[in-house]
């Protein structure tokens, strides 16, 4: 049973370009969470999605950032017109339920560098 | 604002010694979880303790929870060099009804051979 998969593992973009980060949850998991980690910091919640629905996007910047989790295929975190401050590690996690008592399984992360 | 705050920020010990890390939080929780992150890697879930539990064990790990003080501790006994990592506590937001997590900044643990 493969774990949570993220790709690419490393992504370099110039300022103004778009970044697309992909996350495939564990088999059987329909709840996906995206987090961002800045250097020397803990993870900050960005968005929580179920299949075809955004449940909570309270942690996501209002502009330039969007997320989706289509019926088929991976979840996508999209950052338009990237700026240097977007450089961070982006982690996705999945769980079988959204209920409070379930642990989350994390992917290896995508390290975004904006030059 | 930060929900979970780990203390100390960094801890350096010798193999065989015990390591204790603390976490304090601000609002009510349904459960508290501890995760480990090796340098440059994703997070690995270690243990989940519910708000009605006071202590939980898993192998060399012992977690306590004091909801009256809004604090938790993670004890790693007989540490090994492979335990070198950052350790994070994470709390949920029960008012939300679902399990988005709020992480602290973590404790960096260095275990020297």
């Amino acid at each position: 049973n493969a774990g949570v998969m993220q790709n690419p593992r490393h992504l370099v973009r110039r300022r103004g370009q778009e970044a697309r980060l992909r996350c495939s949850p564990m088999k059987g998991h329909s709840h996906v969470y995206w987090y961002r980690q800045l250097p020397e910091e803990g993870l900050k919640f960005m968005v929580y999605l179920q299949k075809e629905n955004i449940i909570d996007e309270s942690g996501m910047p209002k502009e330039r950032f969007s997320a989706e989790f289509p019926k088929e295929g991976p979840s996508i975190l999209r950052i338009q017109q990237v700026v240097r401050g977007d450089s961070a590690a982006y982690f996705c996690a999945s769980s079988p339920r959204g209920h409070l008592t379930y642990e989350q399984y994390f992917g290896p992360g995508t390290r975004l560098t904006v030059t | 604002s930060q929900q979970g705050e780990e203390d100390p920020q960094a801890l350096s010990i010798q193999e065989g010694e015990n390591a204790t890390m603390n976490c304090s939080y601000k609002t009510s929780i349904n459960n508290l979880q501890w995760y480990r992150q090796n340098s440059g890697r994703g997070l690995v879930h270690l243990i989940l303790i519910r708000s009605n539990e006071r202590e939980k064990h898993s192998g060399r790990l012992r977690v306590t929870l004091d909801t009256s003080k809004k604090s938790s501790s993670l004890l790693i006994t007989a540490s090994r060099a492979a335990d070198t990592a950052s350790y994070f506590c994470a709390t949920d937001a029960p008012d939300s009804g679902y399990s988005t997590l709020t992480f602290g900044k973590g404790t960096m643990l260095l275990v020297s051979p």
Side-chain angles (χ1 to χ4, degrees):
Chain A
N1 186 11
V4 178
M5 306 194 47
Q6 289 187 251
N7 67 81
R9 293 292 304 275
H10 299 272
L11 182 61
V12 180
R13 283 286 179 264
R14 291 196 181 90
R15 277 181 299 170
Q17 291 184 319
E18 178 180 288
R20 277 183 183 243
L21 288 62
R22 295 175 194 78
C23 169
S24 296
M26 284 183 71
K27 189 176 180 180
H29 289 192
S30 59
H31 298 256
V32 165
Y33 313 81
W34 285 93
Y35 296 86
R36 176 166 63 178
Q37 185 179 34
L38 295 170
E40 311 300 325
E41 298 275 328
L43 277 69
K44 295 282 194 284
F45 166 74
M46 297 181 74
V47 61
Y48 163 38
L49 309 103
Q50 292 182 42
K51 284 282 186 183
E52 299 184 277
N53 286 304
I54 296 175
I55 307 302
D56 183 348
E57 56 183 347
S58 60
M60 202 149 70
K62 295 285 185 280
E63 297 177 355
R64 302 188 297 108
F65 285 72
S66 62
E68 62 177 9
F69 188 17
K71 189 176 180 181
E72 301 290 338
S75 175
I76 306 285
L77 178 67
R78 183 179 175 212
I79 311 172
Q80 294 178 292
Q81 299 176 323
V82 295
V83 301
R84 287 221 173 97
D86 296 332
S87 295
Y90 292 83
F91 291 93
C92 108
S94 72
S95 67
R97 304 277 190 278
H99 191 267
L100 291 165
T101 55
Y102 283 87
E103 68 184 78
Q104 295 181 14
Y105 296 81
F106 281 81
T110 292
R111 274 147 191 84
L112 173 65
T113 301
V114 179
T115 61
Chain B
S1 63
Q2 204 75 24
Q3 169 70 319
E5 296 271 353
E6 289 90 346
D7 171 67
Q9 285 186 313
L11 181 60
S12 182
I13 59 175
Q14 298 290 123
E15 260 189 332
E17 293 180 338
N18 295 342
T20 300
M21 288 157 269
N22 303 297
C23 168
S24 60
Y25 56 92
K26 295 182 177 129
T27 62
S28 63
I29 60 171
N30 187 66
N31 63 61
L32 184 145
Q33 304 181 43
W34 284 91
Y35 287 82
R36 183 185 73 211
Q37 184 180 34
N38 290 84
S39 180
R41 308 289 290 273
L43 275 73
V44 174
H45 181 264
L46 295 176
I47 199 163
L48 180 153
I49 185 165
R50 304 187 200 290
S51 59
N52 61 354
E53 296 176 312
R54 291 295 166 259
E55 189 171 309
K56 203 160 182 180
H57 297 255
S58 176
R60 294 184 295 113
L61 305 180
R62 173 176 165 253
V63 167
T64 62
L65 179 64
D66 187 335
T67 52
S68 66
K69 294 181 180 176
K70 292 188 169 57
S71 68
S72 173
S73 68
L74 170 67
L75 168 67
I76 304 174
T77 59
S79 64
R80 305 167 182 166
D83 294 328
T84 294
S86 290
Y87 291 82
F88 296 90
C89 70
T91 53
D92 59 18
D95 291 343
S96 71
Y98 45 75
S99 57
T100 59
L101 297 175
T102 301
F103 287 83
K105 292 187 177 183
T107 293
M108 289 180 61
L109 174 65
L110 173 63
V111 182
S112 302

